[in-house]
Amino acid sequence: MVLTGAGISAESGVPTFRDADGLWEGYHVEDVATPEAYDRDPATVLKFYDERRASLAGVVPNPAHEALARLEAAVGEELLVVTQNIDDLHERGGLQRVVHMHGELLKAWCTSCDQRHPWTGTLVDRPACPGCGSTALRPDVVWFGEIPYEMDRIIDALTDAEIFVSIGTSGAVYPAAGFVQHARRHGARATELNLEPSEGSFFFHDSRHGKAGELVPAWVDELLGS
Ligand code: OAD
Ligand code: ZN
């Protein structure tokens, strides 16, 4: 099982959250990524995610995304990639199966009829839901205080995993930050691939530091014995 975070998309030009030039610099998290913020000031929240959705058009996957697709092509369903990222770079890098535990920028969720729709446009102008016509579309992303998606499937995969690898995540946000401990309790060998030691670095058997675009292809080569 592979867990990815903002660091895997950094070399593609998507800003991370907690680095010096990180995205939260200009914004307080409680102003844009909580249900309370959305209730208080929906326009600011919708505009923030509209800008991030639009910026996806200007970025491309990097060798780290491509290496995970190569691993999947070799081992098939033995691999499960779970990402905290809301971008679509894993998919564009060729990965067939990915769990977006924090949701996806390219989907809108209608809180009136509860349907999800592929979305590339804006939401701040309150477009009508293609399903029910109401104007209750929000970004299909998980905010602080909400439960991440597909947790049952993720916990099962962690329990069964022989190898757990964490790529480009600071280990600051739960529940993802606790995955390494769960996987290890159930027998997995744990490796971290990150620019610097993460907050939970000491939980891993092996912690390698450097850029994902270099570390991930090398790790995949090593695993596949090439
Ligand atoms: P962070 O911004 O917290 O952490 C990114 C990590 O990637 C840091 O440890 C960096 O050192 C590392 N990094 C930066 N550039 C890298 C590179 N080129 N190669 C490898 N590593 C690199 O991002 P996340 O851990 O993903 O949640 O953040 C977790 C969650 O917090 C996000 O999903 C988001 C955020 O608030 C929600 O919005 C719910
Ligand atoms: Zn609807």
Side-chain angles (χ1 to χ4, degrees), residues 46-176:
L46 293 172
K47 193 162 151 284
F48 173 77
Y49 286 98
D50 282 354
E51 283 165 6
R52 301 187 61 198
R53 192 178 309 101
S55 73
L56 290 182
V59 299
V60 291
N62 68 58
H65 298 103
E66 286 158 6
L68 291 181
R70 189 156 55 84
L71 179 60
E72 182 185 57
V75 305
E77 300 218 332
E78 278 187 60
L79 172 72
L80 183 66
V81 176
V82 175
T83 187
Q84 299 167 84
N85 299 343
I86 58 179
D87 65 51
D88 65 337
L89 292 176
H90 280 304
E91 288 89 339
R92 281 197 270 151
L95 197 69
Q96 304 285 321
R97 199 167 69 124
V98 54
V99 174
H100 280 275
M101 64 177 289
H102 289 165
E104 294 172 68
L105 271 174
L106 294 177
K107 281 189 187 162
W109 170 28
C110 176
T111 55
S112 181
C113 72
D114 199 32
Q115 284 182 44
R116 265 110 177 150
H117 302 282
W119 208 263
T120 52
T122 54
L123 292 173
V124 72
D125 47 332
R126 308 318 300 248
C129 166
C132 73
S134 78
T135 54
L137 291 169
R138 59 165 267 189
D140 189 16
V141 300
V142 175
W143 287 323
F144 287 94
E146 298 181 326
I147 311 286
Y149 294 155
E150 300 204 57
M151 283 307 294
D152 291 347
R153 184 176 172 197
I154 293 170
I155 296 298
D156 286 348
L158 287 168
T159 306
D160 292 345
E162 286 169 34
I163 301 173
F164 174 77
V165 181
S166 176
I167 303 170
T169 177
S170 61
V173 176
Y174 282 82

Side-chain angles (χ1 to χ4, degrees), residues 197-221:
S198 70
E199 290 184 25
S201 205
F202 51 90
F203 290 125
F204 292 82
H205 294 102
D206 180 18
S207 185
R208 305 179 190 179
H209 307 134
K211 290 183 171 180
E214 290 159 16
L215 291 181
V216 181
W219 171 75
V220 168
D221 287 346

